[in-house]
Amino acid sequence: MPELSHGRRMLVLAICCMSLLIVSLDNTVLNVALPSLQRDLHASTAGLQWTIDAYTLVLASLLMLAGSTADRIGRRRVFMTGLVVFTLGSVLCSLAPDLTSLVVFRMVQAVGGSMLNPVAMSIITNTFTDPRERARAIGAWGAVVGISMAAGPLVGGLLVESVGWRSIFWINLPVGLAALLLTWRFVPESRAPRARRPDPIGQLLVIVLFGSLTYAIIEAPHAPLPVIAPFAAVALLALLALLRYEPRRREPLIDLRFFRSAPFSGATVIAVCAFAALGGFLFLSTLYLQNVRGLSAMEAGLWMLPMAVPTFLCAPLSGRLVGSRGPRLPLLIAGAAMTVSGLLFALFEAETSDVTLFLGYVLFGVGFGFVNAPITNTAVSGMPTAQAGVASAVASTSRQLGQALGVAVIGAVLAAGVGSSPYADAFVPAARPGWWILAVCGLAVLVVGALTSGRWARGTAERTAERLETAEIRQNVGAGA
């Protein structure tokens, strides 16, 4: 990839951030529209979970394939294809006649989305080669999530009230088309010197693992054990097969050697926990605000601002801290803030008071704003640049898997707690176990962040990078011979 001027690098960053914006907006806007969608399509709680998890599951299943494919055939080419498919999927979602069709079209969206974020991160990693400049770029990238959280609920609430829930998918069209044209004009093509070969068996095992596990969790409150048990067993078998099969491949879909690096492994665990908390938090909040408090979609969007604004403000600060002091401090702040937020709801029923509800939202927004930059930076900084697409795809997969599991687990806990009781009366006590789960997720971010960001952890990252680079040289020599 040729060396670009500072202005051109900033333009590439802006284009990549546009792809993150439409993907992030899609999730936040959809959460605000869930109650309206539920009434219009007569969806159950499980149906609402599937409208979110069908997207995140397909995304999580295909991210690593998209990252390695982009490294192999060209990041710009795959990125542009993703923009086309995602935009087309958005049009189909807006036309969905029923819940089943919407779930299917959300999966089409996800196929396109899988080609966007990890590939964009790979483009950023290869464009910004200076570590400090890269950390700041990743901080700006993380700020886009805050922008989507701030704009998504308001835009979604306005669209749902004025036009209807179908209009929430229209906002992807102008942004997607603009990003496509700008990518074609200004983003240079880049490839890895030597990318991994396709791994269809590994890819199939990942899809089976994620899909069967999520199905078992979502349907557990409604389906009998003989129906759920086979899916849980299939998920376990797929995991065992993946752990046995992947190390035997010369070029696996998931390079398990990456996990010898404590920071990389920690970033993966933290991503799952943080985004599980995010998925569960948004799911519980939007249902509570609209179905229990009786707020309109617009009013619910305004209530989400105390979470969204701190995320937007803290993300670039986190990026600067990562660049100047490393990931440890941002991770500790993130874990502490998310834990206290979860405890406010679990111990004091924060949602029943405006003051504590506001404080709980602010704390969660601060925590989530600080967590994104250290995840991304840690995942890609210690890995060979040639495999940036694969490394960033693992981090992105962890995020999406975490969000899918968060919605699945929290939704299942809520459905089991509500049962046949009146929804408004049963919601707060039924949601309490879910808030405890979110508090545990925050505590995991705090503890794992502390354990995997010290001197020992950095040593494991350096040794892992040396082994990977040595193995890469040997493979290149072997291929040349």
Side-chain angles (χ1 to χ4, degrees), residues 319-333:
R320 287 193 291 271
L321 283 174
V322 171
S324 60
R325 300 184 59 178
R328 188 181 187 87
L329 181 59
L331 288 175
L332 295 180
I333 295 173

Side-chain angles (χ1 to χ4, degrees), residues 259 261-271 375 378 448-449 452:
F259 293 94
S261 164
F264 183 88
S265 298
T268 303
V269 174
I270 290 168
I375 290 173
T378 304
V448 176
T452 60

Side-chain angles (χ1 to χ4, degrees), residues 167-214:
S167 62
I168 65 175
F169 297 103
W170 299 346
I171 57 179
N172 296 330
L173 306 186
V175 180
L177 291 174
L180 180 65
L181 293 175
L182 290 170
T183 301
W184 174 74
R185 177 66 179 84
F186 294 107
V187 176
E189 185 61 281
S190 64
R191 298 176 178 83
R194 186 175 183 277
R196 285 179 170 81
R197 297 174 183 175
D199 181 9
I201 295 178
Q203 182 63 59
L204 179 62
L205 289 172
V206 167
I207 293 173
V208 171
L209 170 60
F210 291 173
S212 56
L213 177 61
T214 305

Side-chain angles (χ1 to χ4, degrees), residues 7 143 286 468 481:
T286 191
L468 289 171

Side-chain angles (χ1 to χ4, degrees), residues 28 55 71 83 86 115 144 148 165 230 332 363 420 431 434:
T28 54
Y55 177 86
D71 282 346
L83 287 169
F86 185 87
M115 305 179 201
V144 174
S148 72
W165 65 264
L332 295 180
L363 285 170
S420 58

Side-chain angles (χ1 to χ4, degrees), residues 14-99:
I15 295 169
C16 290
C17 285
M18 290 176 72
S19 73
L20 178 62
L21 179 64
I22 58 175
V23 173
S24 300
L25 265 179
D26 193 73
N27 281 331
T28 54
V29 169
L30 180 61
N31 269 280
V32 174
L34 284 179
S36 177
L37 187 154
Q38 184 179 31
R39 291 188 296 269
D40 192 23
L41 299 183
H42 309 290
S44 63
T45 300
L48 296 181
Q49 289 172 273
W50 279 118
T51 61
I52 298 174
D53 276 1
Y55 177 86
T56 52
L57 277 176
V58 173
L59 202 63
S61 299
L62 298 181
L63 283 171
M64 286 176 286
L65 174 64
S68 59
T69 302
D71 282 346
R72 183 169 57 255
I73 69 173
R75 297 174 180 122
R76 176 174 175 265
R77 179 185 300 178
V78 172
F79 187 68
M80 291 178 66
T81 302
L83 287 169
V84 171
V85 175
F86 185 87
T87 305
L88 175 61
S90 299
V91 174
L92 293 174
C93 286
S94 70
L95 302 174
D98 51 44
L99 183 65

Side-chain angles (χ1 to χ4, degrees), residues 95-126:
L95 302 174
D98 51 44
L99 183 65
T100 301
S101 300
L102 179 61
V103 170
V104 172
F105 295 150
R106 288 279 290 164
M107 295 170 73
V108 174
Q109 262 191 315
V111 172
S114 70
M115 305 179 201
L116 296 181
N117 288 0
V119 180
M121 180 51 61
S122 181
I123 292 172
I124 291 173
T125 302
N126 282 269

